[in-house]
Amino acid sequence: PLFWQALQVTGNFVLISVPLKLFFGVALSLLLNLKVRGMDLYRTIFYIPAVISGVAVSLMWIWLLQPDTGVVNTLLALVGIEGPGWFWDPDWALFSVALMSVWSVGGSAIIYLAGLQNIPPHLYEAAKIDGAGAWQRFWRITIPLLTPTLFFQLVVEMIESFKVFTQAFVITKGGPLKATYFYLFYFYEEAFQNFNMGYASAPALTLMIITLT
């Protein structure tokens, strides 16, 4: 039963986190593609979170999302909004981990940026002459020509999302009520806590098949 539960939790996480990371990755890359002063510095700043230790990031998000004394809920209280329990609420825990995964979106934004800069500028110039607005240029030129990059990132982000582990290990220990009982956390328990190495090989092989698919 725990196998199916872990697989379902991880599948739900993929469905939540991958669209969020794709959306914010593209949005951030569009901003980083603007011609403004100091853009190299901005690109570096947004990329840094992608290379910070996952444990350090988890500890930072614990501080940010503490229900009583966290920064986010404190700011929400100032405008009269009662913040949720985040990692400590079964209804919010999975979404909180998915939201946390957006923190490292700067790494994928650099790849989107490379895709954007490969789009020929004359296409935008021709569209402007034909009277196309910014939204039309985005949907008719940017998105179609960015499709190979989007597909590549979709595959990579799905694989990475199936491998989520650090957040559950550091913050939630698979809880509350196994709301964040991810697939790799299940594998870790069976292999390195229960020492069922033979059985743990089966979920590992299953994950490899899912990844290859």
Side-chain angles (χ1 to χ4, degrees):
L2 288 178
F3 169 82
W4 294 110
Q5 183 172 4
L7 193 60
Q8 181 181 4
V9 169
T10 308
N12 290 337
F13 174 78
V14 171
L15 292 176
I16 297 172
S17 65
V18 171
L20 282 176
K21 294 175 79 172
L22 289 175
F23 173 80
F24 283 104
V26 172
L28 180 58
S29 68
L30 290 171
L31 292 175
L32 296 179
N33 198 36
L34 297 175
K35 306 296 186 208
V36 298
R37 187 177 180 182
M39 181 53 73
D40 290 341
L41 175 62
Y42 296 137
R43 290 171 182 171
T44 303
I45 291 172
F46 280 108
Y47 182 74
I48 287 174
V51 296
I52 295 178
S53 163
V55 174
V57 171
S58 298
L59 294 175
M60 183 195 71
W61 278 89
I62 292 175
W63 173 67
L64 287 173
L65 298 182
Q66 280 281 355
D68 300 325
T69 59
V71 175
V72 174
N73 279 8
T74 300
L75 293 175
L76 290 175
L78 293 177
V79 293
I81 300 175
E82 183 179 356
W86 300 112
F87 297 118
W88 297 268
D89 185 342
D91 296 328
W92 281 88
L94 188 63
F95 176 76
S96 300
V97 177
L99 184 65
M100 176 183 165
S101 68
V102 178
W103 164 261
S104 60
V105 78
S108 58
I110 296 299
I111 298 176
Y112 292 125
L113 180 62
L116 287 173
Q117 293 184 345
N118 279 329
I119 299 176
H122 69 265
L123 296 178
Y124 292 109
E125 295 169 3
K128 283 183 181 180
I129 294 173
D130 288 340
W135 190 250
Q136 289 176 309
R137 295 196 300 273
F138 176 74
W139 279 110
R140 302 283 184 174
I141 299 175
T142 304
I143 291 298
L145 294 181
L146 201 61
T147 299
T149 308
L150 285 168
F151 180 71
F152 169 77
Q153 281 298 104
L154 174 65
V155 173
V156 171
E157 297 293 356
M158 287 183 69
I159 293 173
E160 289 299 316
S161 296
F162 269 104
K163 296 192 298 179
V164 61
F165 170 76
T166 305
Q167 298 91 322
F169 182 75
V170 175
I171 302 174
T172 63
K173 302 298 181 184
L177 300 178
K178 296 196 180 300
T180 58
Y181 195 68
F182 295 116
Y183 193 88
L184 277 190
F185 191 80
Y186 166 68
F187 164 78
Y188 166 81
E189 282 193 337
E190 290 295 334
F192 302 109
Q193 290 186 346
N194 301 332
F195 297 104
N196 294 328
M197 290 294 181
Y199 175 79
S201 298
L205 182 61
T206 306
L207 180 62
M208 186 188 74
I209 294 171
I210 292 172
T211 303
L212 287 173
T213 304

